[in-house]
């Protein structure tokens, strides 16, 4: 089959370009777009505020946060948990009161039935020609005082509810906003970045492109350089330094302390725009699907 131009509609093949063009103009289908480097945070930025960290701390999973931001997040979660717990306890008390009312009503009905049966032991003369008013059953649902008990669609307090909302007991565990794993304030580890010493560069720290370097090898740190944090001191080093220097004798190169495997925390990197560095660089915008 011969090739045809992009705007040619005489071909028998529905090309990929025509399909994407029709989907874009029609407003149906899922739009996918590759995410660039500018859409992903830097390695030294907070995972919540997406701004450069003033007091950086890291979790045991390698996610970097600003200390003020993550502590405020934990406080907000605790306040939210206490609010939900109060609502749950209020609902529990209400259910207990309703059960007590039902039990009291059932007890009163049993007592009234017993007294009624006791009164009926002494028989009275029955007049067969007299109508029994109590035995008359009314067809209307407004009789016998039901007009004040019926639900009303005009009064907000008497509007009928379709279903009672049940509040479950809230979980007191605070989860990490990125990894969704349990997070505690005492597990946060302070991070110490080593500044690049360049006396000729008079720019501000945020404006600088090369802000930090490895504490051991003095290599420039960036999103394309895998990094790790040493738990005892919080120093940031490159993974190359970990593999070639630290893992040889498992001694801290700055303090000569003995290290273990758990003392090396790999940092979750930011974005470089290359698929090899990042797991997912594709953004999706879901729209209604056109069905034939």
């Amino acid at each position: 089959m011969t090739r045809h131009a992009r705007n040619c509609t005489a071909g028998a093949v529905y090309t990929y370009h025509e399909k994407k063009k029709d989907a874009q103009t029609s407003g149906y289908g899922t739009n996918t777009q590759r995410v660039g480097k500018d859409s992903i945070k830097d390695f030294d930025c907070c995972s919540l505020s997406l701004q450069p960290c003033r007091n950086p701390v890291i979790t045991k999973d390698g996610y970097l946060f600003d200390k003020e931001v993550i502590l405020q997040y934990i406080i907000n979660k605790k306040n939210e948990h206490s609010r939900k717990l109060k609502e749950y306890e209020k609902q529990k008390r209400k259910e207990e009161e309703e059960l007590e009312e039902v039990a009291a009503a059932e007890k009163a009905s049993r007592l009234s039935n017993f007294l009624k049966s006791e009164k009926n032991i002494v028989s009275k003369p029955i007049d067969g020609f007299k109508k029994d008013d109590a035995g008359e059953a009314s067809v209307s649902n407004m009789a016998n005082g039901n007009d004040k008990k019926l639900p009303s669609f005009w009064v907000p307090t008497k509007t009928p509810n379709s279903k009672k909302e049940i509040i479950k007991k809230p979980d007191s565990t605070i989860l990490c906003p990125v990894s969704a794993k349990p997070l505690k304030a005492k597990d946060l580890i302070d991070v110490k970045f080593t500044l690049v010493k360049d006396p000729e560069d008079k720019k501000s720290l945020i404006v600088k492109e090369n802000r930090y370097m490895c504490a051991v090898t003095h290599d420039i740190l960036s999103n394309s350089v895998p990094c790790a944090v040493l738990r005892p001191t919080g120093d940031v080093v490159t993974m190359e330094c970990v593999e070639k220097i630290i893992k040889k004798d498992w001694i801290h190169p700055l303090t000569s302390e003995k290290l273990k495997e758990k003392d090396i925390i790999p940092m979750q990197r930011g974005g470089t725009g290359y698929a090899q560095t990042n797991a997912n660089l594709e953004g999706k915008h879901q729209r209604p699907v056109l069905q034939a």
Side-chain angles (χ1 to χ4, degrees):
M1 186 173 291
T2 58
R3 294 176 59 188
H4 54 276
R6 284 183 172 183
N7 296 324
C8 179
T9 57
V13 180
Y14 191 38
T15 62
Y16 174 79
H17 174 77
E18 292 170 353
K19 185 178 179 181
K20 296 291 284 186
K21 184 179 178 182
D22 292 343
Q24 188 175 2
T25 55
S26 65
Y28 291 95
T30 303
N31 275 349
T32 58
Q33 187 176 359
R34 185 177 174 83
V35 179
K37 179 183 175 182
D38 297 335
S39 302
I40 309 172
K41 76 176 189 69
D42 290 333
F43 76 100
D44 60 338
C45 290
C46 174
S47 298
L48 268 179
S49 64
L50 305 180
Q51 298 297 323
C53 296
R54 295 181 180 178
N55 299 316
V57 291
I58 196 170
T59 63
K60 58 183 179 181
D61 297 318
Y63 293 101
L64 194 72
F65 294 99
D66 195 328
K67 193 170 188 178
E68 182 182 355
V69 175
I70 192 63
L71 290 181
Q72 186 64 41
Y73 169 81
I74 293 174
I75 292 170
N76 290 341
K77 286 296 179 183
K78 286 184 177 180
N79 293 338
E80 184 181 353
H81 171 261
S82 62
R83 178 180 59 82
K84 289 182 178 179
L85 189 61
K86 287 179 182 178
E87 292 178 357
Y88 172 76
E89 291 174 352
K90 183 179 178 182
Q91 175 190 270
K92 201 172 181 181
R93 286 195 301 268
K94 191 175 180 181
E95 288 177 355
E96 291 175 356
E97 290 174 359
E98 288 177 355
L99 289 175
E100 290 176 359
E101 289 176 1
V102 169
E106 189 177 352
K107 186 177 180 181
S109 66
R110 284 203 306 266
L111 181 61
S112 64
N113 291 335
F114 174 74
L115 294 175
K116 200 175 195 180
S117 63
E118 287 292 321
K119 286 179 181 178
N120 290 337
I121 293 175
V122 181
S123 60
K124 294 181 181 180
I126 301 172
D127 188 0
F129 297 99
K130 187 178 179 182
K131 287 186 177 180
D132 189 6
D133 296 334
E136 286 187 12
S138 178
V139 180
S140 175
N141 61 350
M142 306 290 284
N144 300 326
N146 289 334
D147 55 339
K148 295 181 180 179
K149 297 180 181 178
L150 290 173
S152 173
F153 288 95
W154 304 104
V155 183
T157 56
K158 293 185 177 181
T159 304
N161 294 327
S162 59
K163 202 173 184 181
K164 187 177 178 181
E165 185 180 358
I166 299 175
I167 302 174
K168 295 182 180 179
K169 187 175 181 180
D171 189 9
S172 60
T173 307
I174 299 174
L175 302 178
C176 175
V178 183
S179 64
K181 293 181 180 179
L183 177 68
K184 295 181 181 178
K186 64 180 182 180
D187 295 336
L188 298 174
I189 302 160
D190 291 329
V191 177
K192 186 168 64 177
F193 283 107
T194 306
L195 296 173
V196 175
K197 299 176 183 178
D198 188 2
E200 296 181 359
D201 195 355
K202 304 294 183 182
K203 295 180 181 177
S204 174
L205 182 64
I206 299 178
V207 181
K208 288 181 181 179
E209 186 175 352
N210 300 325
R211 295 191 281 263
Y212 304 112
M213 63 181 180
C214 175
V216 179
T217 62
H218 291 185
D219 291 335
I220 301 298
L221 303 181
S222 64
N223 287 352
S224 59
V225 179
C227 305
V229 176
L230 303 180
R231 187 192 292 263
T233 58
D235 289 302
V236 181
V237 296
T238 61
M239 288 301 294
E240 186 179 3
C241 171
V242 171
E243 296 293 336
K244 293 183 178 180
I245 300 175
I246 296 176
K247 283 191 177 181
K248 279 187 176 181
D249 47 10
W250 291 101
I251 293 177
H252 198 298
L254 301 177
T255 61
S256 300
E257 293 181 34
K258 202 72 179 171
L259 296 177
K260 298 180 181 178
E261 186 74 32
K262 65 178 182 179
D263 292 332
I264 299 172
I265 304 172
M267 286 182 63
Q268 301 294 333
R269 284 186 282 169
T272 61
Y274 294 99
Q276 186 177 1
T277 305
N278 302 99
N280 189 8
L281 285 173
E282 194 175 57
K284 291 185 178 182
H285 174 60
Q286 296 179 350
R287 300 183 299 178
V289 179
L290 181 63
Q291 295 182 352

